[in-house]
Amino acid sequence: MKKDLDRLLEIADSAAGRISDWIEANDPIFLTSHLDADGLTAAGIMASALTRRNTPFHLRIVRQLDQVYLNEIAKDDSQRFIFCDLGSGQLPLIEDALGSSEIVILDHHPPGKEDVPSHIRQVNPHEYGFDATYEISGAGVSYLVARHLGGSNGDLAGLAVVGALGDIQDRGKQHDFVGLNKEIIIEDAIASGVVDRSIDMRIFGRETRPIHIALQYSSDPYIPGISNDPEGALNFLADLGIELREDEQWRTIASLAKEEKRKLNSELVTYMLKHNIPPREAQSLVGVVFTMVQEEKGSYLRDARMFSTLLNSTGRSNQGGIGVAICMGDRKNMLRKAETILKEYREQLALGLQWLTDDPEAIQKLQLIQTFHAKDRIPDTIVGSIAGMALNARILDWSKPVIAFVYSRDGRVKVSGRTIRRIVEAGADLGKAMKEASAEIGSGSEGGGHNIAAGATIPRGQEDQFLKIIQRILRKQLGRMKEVTSQPEESANEETIK
Ligand SMILES: [Mn+2]
C-alpha cells in the first residue's frame, strides 16, 4: 500500500473533532492506555490535552485489553472512550463489550482485517501504508490528534519522542528516528523547544552520573566486564588514565574534554571488539541522543531514553499513574516516587539476569528458538525486559529468538518473545507468531505485538505445545533463511561527536 500522509492526518483531525465534540458537550471521557513507556506517554499527551481544555476524565492504565476489563468499563457512567497504544488488535472485543458507545482508538499495533463501524474512529498509521512498528508510536499517534485539540500542544511532541524511544523506534542509522517520527514528531519537538537532537555517546547518565557509574549501568550496548561490574568499570578507566574527579567533584562523560571523550569512545569500541561484540553493536556506542532541554541537568528526565526507562519502570510495577503524573508535569512527589520504583525495578532485573547467568541450565536450546520458564521467580511484568536484556548481554544466544514463560498473576502463563533486528530482517515476526500460536491454542489464550518483541498469555500446562507451534510458524517465516551470522556493518558517512 502506498503511504498516504494526507489521509492519515485527515483521520487524526477528524478524531480530534470527535473528542472536541465530547469536550463541548461536557460528556465524561474514559481514557485507557497501555502500561509501557509508550502507553504512559500516550496517556500523558491525551490527559494533558484534555486538562488544558478543562475537561475531566477517567484514566486507567492496563497491561492488556481483555474481555474482563472491557465488561467492567462498559458499566461506567461515561460512554465516550479513548484507547491509546492499544485497541486495534481487540476491535471485535471492544465492539462486543461497549456496544454503540462512541469510541476513539489511537494505536500503532497492526490492526485486524475487520471493518470499523462508524461509532468507532480508529487512527492507525498501518491503515495508510505506514509501518508503525518503527515509524511512529502510540504516543506519536496520540500527539497527531492532540495537536488538533488545542492551539499550543506542540510541546507534547516531546512526550511522543519519549514514547517512541520506549518502543525502540530509534531504528535509523546511529539510532536515529525514521519515517513519521523523523518527519513530524522530532521536528515538532525541536520546534517547540522541548527536545534537542545531537550525536554523543549513548550512555545513560552521561550528563548526570560519575563516569564509572554511567559505564557500569550501560546495558545497550552491553559491555562485558564493565556493565554491571563496578570494579571492571573502575579498572578500565584507570588503565585509560582518565581522572574521575576534579576538585573533589565526580566528573561526568559530558564534562570530559573533547580528546578525553574521543579516547574513551575509541578504547571502549576496541575493548568491545576484543570481547567479540559485533562491530555494529560496538559502534552503536556513539549515536543520536535526545535531550529534554527543559528538564534540569542531573534529572532522570533530561535524557529522553532515560525518561522512557523511568516511565516503563512505573508501569511494569503496576504504578503507571505515577508515570502519567510525571508526563503531565509533576516534578516533585511523583518524580521522587518513580525514582524509588526505578531503583527497585533495576534490582529485580539484575536478580533475573543473575539467575540466568548462574543457572545456564535454566535456558533450554531448541532447534529454532531458546526458552526459559521463570515460574514464580520473577514478576510477570518484567519477564520480557529480562529476556531482552539477557539477549543484549549475550547471556542468551543472539542467533535464536527467545520465548520466555512466567506464571502470571491471573493463574495463567505469560509468554514473552524477544529477538534482534537481524533475525527480523531474515523474516521472523514474533508478533504474528504469537498471535497465530495463541489462536491455535484456543480459549484462554491471546497474543500479539511487534515483530521484534511480542507477548501472549496461555493456560498453564500448554507451554510445550505453544513452543511446538511457535517453532512450526517460525520455520515457515524463516523459510528462505539459510543461516544468520554476524556480519560487519558498513559505517561510512556517520556523524561523529561534535
Ligand atoms: Mn506502543
Side-chain angles (χ1 to χ4, degrees):
M1 196 198 297
K2 239 188 108 226
K3 294 183 183 186
D4 194 340
L5 182 58
D6 289 342
R7 280 206 54 215
L8 171 63
L9 297 182
E10 224 170 83
I11 193 86
D13 198 10
S14 96
R18 177 173 289 196
I19 295 171
S20 278
D21 291 344
W22 300 347
I23 293 172
E24 266 143 43
N26 263 325
D27 290 337
I29 295 174
F30 200 117
L31 184 58
T32 302
S33 193
H34 190 217
L35 60 61
D36 66 8
D38 184 31
L40 296 178
T41 46
I45 288 167
M46 288 317 291
S48 299
L50 293 175
T51 303
R52 289 172 185 180
R53 297 275 300 264
N54 298 316
T55 305
F57 58 89
H58 299 282
L59 168 68
R60 287 280 296 273
I61 301 297
V62 298
R63 184 186 332 175
Q64 65 198 28
L65 218 47
D66 57 23
Q67 195 90 53
V68 179
Y69 174 75
L70 289 166
N71 287 341
E72 191 188 317
I73 64 172
K75 294 187 218 124
D76 195 84
D77 299 340
S78 43
Q79 291 304 312
R80 308 279 182 259
F81 298 97
I82 303 176
F83 296 99
C84 297
D85 194 32
L86 35 70
S88 286
Q90 298 85 18
L91 207 58
L93 281 181
I94 291 175
E95 277 191 73
D96 262 10
L98 300 182
S100 58
S101 302
E102 282 197 39
I103 292 163
V104 168
I105 296 175
L106 311 175
D107 198 1
H108 73 127
H109 294 88
K113 293 270 180 291
E114 308 88 9
D115 289 329
V116 184
S118 66
H119 66 279
I120 300 180
R121 176 110 321 145
Q122 170 172 259
V123 186
N124 190 320
H126 285 282
E127 306 234 277
Y128 308 99
F130 297 92
D131 188 340
T133 315
Y134 59 88
E135 274 200 50
I136 190 167
S137 72
V141 174
S142 301
Y143 169 72
L144 293 182
V145 173
R147 66 176 182 170
H148 290 295
L149 278 177
S152 52
N153 284 340
D155 61 321
L156 300 177
L159 290 174
V161 168
V162 175
L165 291 170
D167 270 8
I168 320 177
Q169 296 195 327
D170 50 345
R171 305 219 207 145
K173 220 176 174 64
Q174 289 190 290
H175 290 262
D176 201 354
F177 285 136
V178 292
L180 296 169
N181 280 326
K182 187 169 190 164
E183 289 146 24
I184 299 180
I185 303 300
I186 191 67
E187 289 290 316
D188 280 16
I190 291 172
S192 312
V194 288
V195 172
D196 178 55
R197 174 195 175 282
S198 60
I199 302 287
D200 206 331
M201 291 185 77
R202 293 172 53 252
I203 294 219
F204 276 171
R206 66 183 181 283
E207 291 201 44
T208 56
R209 290 184 170 141
I211 304 164
H212 61 291
I213 306 280
L215 288 187
Q216 170 198 331
Y217 274 116
S218 178
S219 64
D220 173 28
Y222 189 88
I223 314 168
I226 291 180
S227 299
N228 285 332
D229 187 342
E231 215 172 308
L234 280 171
N235 288 340
F236 177 82
L237 289 164
D239 288 348
L240 278 190
I242 288 181
E243 288 297 331
L244 296 184
R245 292 174 195 253
E246 193 174 310
D247 305 333
E248 301 296 298
Q249 295 270 352
W250 290 110
R251 301 172 78 199
T252 62
I253 289 178
S255 75
L256 291 177
K258 216 185 210 176
E259 253 332 293
E260 286 179 307
K261 203 193 262 186
R262 201 163 290 156
K263 185 172 179 193
L264 173 62
N265 179 54
S266 72
E267 292 293 327
L268 272 173
V269 171
T270 310
Y271 173 93
M272 287 164 79
L273 293 174
K274 245 189 249 164
H275 285 78
N276 293 323
I277 300 291
R280 178 185 189 157
E281 289 302 310
Q283 280 155 9
S284 77
L285 253 185
V286 168
V288 177
V289 299
F290 302 96
T291 306
M292 309 297 286
V293 287
Q294 296 183 344
E295 303 298 338
E296 261 174 53
K297 280 197 177 177
S299 155
Y300 273 107
L301 309 180
R302 178 95 178 165
D303 179 294
R305 288 191 177 90
M306 191 75 218
F307 194 152
S308 83
T309 303
L310 184 78
L311 291 179
N312 192 46
S313 72
T314 66
R316 300 283 167 197
S317 312
N318 296 309
Q319 298 181 77
I322 292 176
V324 178
I326 291 170
C327 291
M328 294 181 71
D330 192 306
R331 293 293 176 268
K332 294 207 165 93
N333 284 344
M334 293 300 140
L335 181 53
R336 268 197 297 275
K337 274 190 187 162
E339 285 164 3
T340 309
I341 293 170
L342 176 62
K343 203 168 150 249
E344 289 164 3
Y345 176 74
R346 275 230 166 86
E347 284 162 7
Q348 280 183 319
L349 290 179
L351 282 175
L353 282 183
Q354 199 59 50
W355 164 56
L356 291 176
T357 312
D358 291 348
D359 188 7
E361 282 176 14
I363 303 159
Q364 202 191 340
K365 287 199 178 182
L366 305 176
Q367 203 183 359
L368 285 175
I369 55 174
Q370 55 197 322
T371 180
F372 64 85
H373 202 319
K375 299 194 175 151
D376 291 312
R377 205 178 278 272
I378 49 185
D380 59 354
T381 45
I382 68 169
V383 68
S385 307
I386 288 174
M389 285 180 74
L391 270 182
N392 271 340
R394 317 202 86 189
I395 295 166
L396 294 168
D397 176 359
W398 280 11
S399 69
K400 289 176 177 173
V402 53
I403 304 291
F405 298 106
V406 65
Y407 291 145
S408 72
R409 296 198 303 179
D410 65 4
R412 292 186 286 170
V413 177
K414 165 110 197 284
V415 193
S416 287
R418 293 288 185 278
T419 188
I420 59 170
R421 230 188 297 178
R422 216 175 296 134
I423 309 281
V424 169
E425 282 158 9
D429 185 336
L430 294 183
K432 265 190 195 147
M434 289 276 188
K435 193 168 186 177
E436 281 174 45
S438 306
E440 205 171 316
I441 293 279
S443 100
S445 316
E446 60 242 340
H450 301 295
N451 51 22
I452 199 162
T457 311
I458 60 173
R460 287 197 190 186
Q462 295 287 328
E463 290 94 327
D464 286 340
Q465 184 61 18
F466 192 81
L467 288 174
K468 242 186 237 163
I469 302 171
I470 286 281
Q471 289 210 89
R472 195 184 69 224
I473 297 169
L474 274 171
R475 189 166 295 124
K476 234 186 279 165
Q477 290 180 347
L478 296 170
R480 268 166 293 164
M481 182 188 74
K482 292 199 183 74
E483 198 183 340
V484 181
T485 48
S486 58
Q487 36 192 261
E489 291 279 307
E490 84 295 343
S491 64
N493 299 326
E494 298 207 333
E495 293 174 77
T496 52
I497 303 174
K498 285 194 191 87

